[in-house]
Structures are given as C-alpha cells and as structure tokens.
Amino acid sequence: MIKEILVLPNYFSFASTMSMDEEELQLLVEENTKKIVVNSIIEKITGKRAKALPRYRPGRIKRSDMDILENKEAEGTVDDNGPTQSSWMLCQPCQPLNNTISFDRKKESVVNLPDGANDLVSAHGKLTRSEYLETKKNNQATWFIERIKQFEKLPTRFLDVGGGRGDLAVQIALHFPEALVVVVDNNESSVLAGREYAAKCGVENRIEFCCVNFSDYMEEYDAGCQGCVDFVLALHACGDLSDMALSFASSRQCNFIICPCCYPKRYLAPFVPHWHGFCTDRERDSLSRLVELDDHREVSRRAMLVVNSMRKTAFEKQNVELEEFDDKISKRNIALVGAGCLS
C-alpha cells in the first residue's frame, strides 16, 4: 500500500496518515531510496524498526550510462574543426561570485523550521534540520541574493517557483525593500509555514503565498488573474518544475535564475521539458540518473553540464548563461541565469 501511495502525484497529502507533516514526507521521498522511504514510514506508523537499515553502498555507475554520457559530451563538443553537427553545444559554467561572496552567515534570529524539528536528522544526510538550514539552505539563498544584485536593473516583482516555506522569498523581501514576491507551491503545509515565517520577519505584506500547481498558476497568469512579474526564481525546484519555470520565464521575457534539482523527477506530464528534444528517452533517463550519483561527484557534475547545456540551448534567444556556486552548500550547484541584458 505504501509503495502505491508514493507513486501518486499528491502522495504528500497522505502525510498525516504516516505520522509526519507534508514537507517531512516530501523531503524523505526526494532524498532517499524507495526502500529507505518505505522502512522509515513503517517505523513512523508502528514505532518499531521495520527492518535492519540497509547497509550503505555507494551508487553504482552503469557502463551503458557512461557510454551515453561520453557520447553526448562528444556530440556537444567544439573541436579545432569547429562545432559538430549537433543542434546543441556543451558549455562550461562561469563562477562570477565565488571570490566575492562569503557564506559565513550569522545564525538567524527567526528559524524557519517546524516546532521541535531543529535537532531532527534531515533528509539530506547526517546534518540535523537546523544544521542543514544554517550551512546549506541559507547560503544557497545568499548566493541568489548576491547574484540578483549583479543585474543592471533590479527587479521589483519576483516569482518564486516551488518556494515552499519561503526561505528565499523572505530574504529577497528583507534585502530589497521595494520588492514584491509571489511564492507558488502546491504543498499546503509548506505554504502555511511560509506565511507564518514571513509574518515573524515582518515582510508578510510584500510576499504572497499561492498554494496552487504551477501549471494552474500559469493559466491564471495568462488570463490576467495574477499580477505581472519581471523576475523568475527557482531554487531547487524538483525535476520538470524547473523546466516549466524556464519555459514561463522565457515565453514572458522575464529575467530568471533557476537552479534545478531532482533531475529524474517528472511531476507535470503532459508538459515535456524543451531539452528532451535533444536526446532520446533512454539518454534522458541515463543522464538524469548520473546527476544524482553524489558518491561520484565528477561524473555527476559532467552529467549536470550536459543536461543544463541542452537546457541553455533550448532558450538561447533569452541570453542564458550557466553559473556555478560552491558545491559545499549544494551538490546541485549549476544555475541557469537568463536576461535580456546580462551584467
């Protein structure tokens, strides 16, 4: 029964029956194998250990996946004779802020976590949720803030896609006093927590939290039911949600910073990400699997560059660049930055 629930698009709505909140369940699913997820849920429900935890084994690289990666790298490479006949080009990211930004933030006076969750182990490894927030999530938001400042014209109305609990949205409101932020997320518990966090930080009047699927938001936006935005953000919007955010920003000529994560995830069918047009289904699946192999960092990064180079090519008219931030704050550290006039 648990496995059947987990494949549903709205699986997180069953969180209360599994003795956890929606965000906790979503993080558990996104960051762990199916076996660990099922065992963890059984433990939550029964209070007893389901089975001995599986022994840790580094992710295995399939030779067939590596063949696909190497072939795609060759396909997108420019050599001495000029570009190949490929319709896309492999890019190397720039690192515009790595020598100027400090990630030594002071501890937040308002901690954006559920009550009693500070010392719980996060779904991201050995760190507690408090430690993950302080050393990872907050520093990711810092990079976004500093990168926004590099644009020639500061935006005034932001759209934060998949912004959940408002970690990034609140920082934007605090750093840009004239800014308005719209957060779109379909996780109700995260949206409620985000509103509470914004109120505690005194910026609730400049952040609108919308609990809605992003595809529905896009329809409302095009129908004139939502205010115009001039900058689109997505900090680790899962899977094809990042691609839909890219499509939204490009078609509406918005500047954007979008940092994808959970590369294999598909939530938004029948929407098809534009980069899928540069590869077969098998190539797509292999590349997405390789990105998630954090135990093989070099291979993971190579696969990320291939996928995001194809994403860049799909929106080349928008003047898109790949940018990279410190992988100490996230292994998914390749962002697509798009503007009519990049600084």
Side-chain angles (χ1 to χ4, degrees), residues 29-59:
V29 171
E30 290 171 359
E31 299 297 329
N32 292 284
T33 65
K34 185 180 294 184
K35 186 173 183 179
I36 291 176
V37 171
V38 172
N39 285 349
S40 298
I41 291 172
I42 292 173
E43 289 179 23
K44 280 280 190 178
I45 295 173
T46 65
K48 300 178 182 179
R49 174 161 289 186
K51 298 176 182 177
L53 288 176
R55 186 173 57 187
Y56 174 75
R57 294 183 178 88

Side-chain angles (χ1 to χ4, degrees), residues 33-178:
T33 65
K34 185 180 294 184
K35 186 173 183 179
I36 291 176
V37 171
V38 172
N39 285 349
S40 298
I41 291 172
I42 292 173
E43 289 179 23
K44 280 280 190 178
I45 295 173
T46 65
K48 300 178 182 179
R49 174 161 289 186
K51 298 176 182 177
L53 288 176
R55 186 173 57 187
Y56 174 75
R57 294 183 178 88
R60 184 173 67 89
I61 300 177
K62 296 181 180 179
R63 182 63 251 178
S64 58
D65 287 349
M66 281 303 298
D67 288 342
I68 286 174
L69 174 59
E70 291 164 0
N71 288 338
K72 297 303 286 187
E73 287 175 324
E75 177 184 301
T77 297
V78 177
D79 58 27
D80 293 339
N81 297 319
T84 66
Q85 297 301 310
S86 171
S87 54
W88 66 279
M89 186 178 299
L90 183 64
C91 305
Q92 293 299 318
C94 59
Q95 301 173 337
L97 299 179
N98 283 14
N99 295 326
T100 61
I101 186 171
S102 172
F103 293 120
D104 296 326
R105 288 169 52 114
K106 294 181 180 179
K107 189 172 182 178
E108 297 291 327
S109 57
V110 179
V111 178
N112 190 19
L113 289 173
D115 291 339
N118 292 39
D119 296 325
L120 295 178
V121 176
S122 79
H124 300 270
K126 297 180 180 179
L127 298 176
T128 66
R129 292 187 68 175
S130 178
E131 290 169 338
Y132 177 81
L133 183 68
E134 292 172 21
T135 63
K136 306 289 186 180
K137 195 71 174 181
N138 286 346
N139 286 329
Q140 295 160 18
T142 295
W143 187 89
F144 266 66
I145 296 297
E146 294 303 315
R147 186 59 189 88
I148 291 167
K149 292 178 181 178
Q150 303 300 311
F151 281 79
E152 293 182 2
K153 182 180 179 181
L154 290 178
T156 58
R157 189 171 173 88
F158 294 85
L159 173 63
D160 184 4
V161 180
R165 299 178 63 89
D167 296 288
L168 179 57
V170 166
Q171 290 304 316
I172 288 172
L174 291 173
H175 281 84
F176 304 110
E178 303 300 319

Side-chain angles (χ1 to χ4, degrees), residues 161-333:
V161 180
R165 299 178 63 89
D167 296 288
L168 179 57
V170 166
Q171 290 304 316
I172 288 172
L174 291 173
H175 281 84
F176 304 110
E178 303 300 319
L180 300 175
V181 188
V182 178
V183 177
V184 177
D185 199 298
N186 69 345
N187 187 322
E188 184 177 6
S189 64
S190 293
V191 167
L192 292 174
R195 289 175 182 151
E196 182 179 347
Y197 179 48
K200 288 180 179 179
C201 294
V203 293
E204 69 274 18
N205 292 332
R206 292 192 290 115
I207 303 179
E208 177 186 0
F209 286 87
C210 301
C211 186
V212 63
N213 289 322
F214 187 53
S215 55
D216 294 335
Y217 173 86
M218 289 172 59
E219 292 181 6
E220 294 175 5
Y221 187 93
D222 290 338
C225 301
Q226 298 286 347
C228 292
V229 299
D230 55 11
F231 203 105
V232 177
L233 301 162
L235 172 51
H236 292 158
C238 287
D240 52 1
L241 182 57
S242 284
D243 294 291
M244 186 171 279
L246 276 169
S247 181
F248 176 90
S250 179
S251 62
R252 291 150 185 87
Q253 298 183 325
C254 297
N255 295 345
F256 59 83
I257 304 176
I258 293 173
C259 184
C261 77
C262 303
Y263 282 55
K265 299 291 186 180
R266 289 293 309 278
Y267 295 112
L268 301 170
F271 169 76
V272 178
H274 289 68
W275 70 271
H276 289 189
F278 299 115
C279 56
T280 66
D281 289 349
R282 183 184 176 191
E283 289 172 338
R284 177 201 68 208
D285 293 343
S286 291
L287 293 169
S288 297
R289 278 196 298 270
L290 291 175
V291 170
E292 301 301 318
L293 293 178
D294 288 339
D295 295 310
H296 304 275
R297 178 59 185 156
E298 186 259 344
V299 170
S300 170
R301 183 177 181 274
R302 286 168 58 190
M304 266 198 296
L305 289 178
V306 169
V307 172
N308 287 311
S309 293
M310 291 189 284
R311 282 179 166 134
K312 176 185 184 311
T313 302
F315 297 99
E316 60 185 354
K317 293 182 180 179
Q318 187 70 14
N319 193 12
V320 183
E321 299 293 341
L322 299 187
E323 301 190 7
E324 185 173 27
F325 54 82
D326 194 336
D327 67 1
K328 291 184 177 65
I329 63 173
S330 177
K331 301 302 183 186
R332 306 295 171 265
N333 63 330

